[in-house]
């Protein structure tokens, strides 16, 4: 079917809340059978710029710490 929505996986549990607090309208796609994905509608360039700004304003996650090698 043809639709004006797209689904994106962002790998962040806090993305939905963060983007919504910046006025971005989106939906958790878990109910569509896509856990961890967000559904967004296609928007004009001005709204795309707001989305990009909100995305870049999302706090960075701490880098994963690699486990230390333990001696045998």
């Amino acid at each position: 079917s043809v639709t004006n929505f797209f689904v994106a996986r962002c790998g962040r549990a806090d993305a939905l809340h963060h983007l919504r607090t910046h006025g971005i309208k989106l939906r958790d796609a878990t109910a569509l059978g896509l856990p961890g994905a967000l559904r967004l509608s296609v928007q004009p360039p001005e709204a795309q710029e707001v989305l990009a700004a909100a995305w870049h304003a999302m706090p960075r996650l701490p880098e994963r710490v690699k486990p230390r090698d333990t001696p045998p």
Side-chain angles (χ1 to χ4, degrees):
S1 69
V2 177
T3 177
N4 64 343
F5 294 96
F6 63 94
V7 175
R9 291 192 188 275
C10 66
R12 293 194 56 168
D14 63 337
L16 182 72
H17 175 73
H18 174 81
L19 294 172
R20 282 184 175 164
T21 61
H22 282 81
I24 308 300
K25 295 183 188 223
L26 47 86
R27 179 178 171 188
D28 181 348
T30 300
L32 302 172
L34 301 167
L38 305 173
R39 187 187 84 169
L40 300 109
S41 64
V42 175
Q43 295 290 318
E46 298 81 17
Q48 293 174 33
E49 290 172 11
V50 172
L51 171 60
W55 185 268
H56 291 292
M58 200 174 327
R60 292 188 176 268
L61 292 175
E63 292 196 31
R64 291 184 179 183
V65 177
K66 294 180 181 176
R68 293 184 184 177
D69 290 332
T70 55

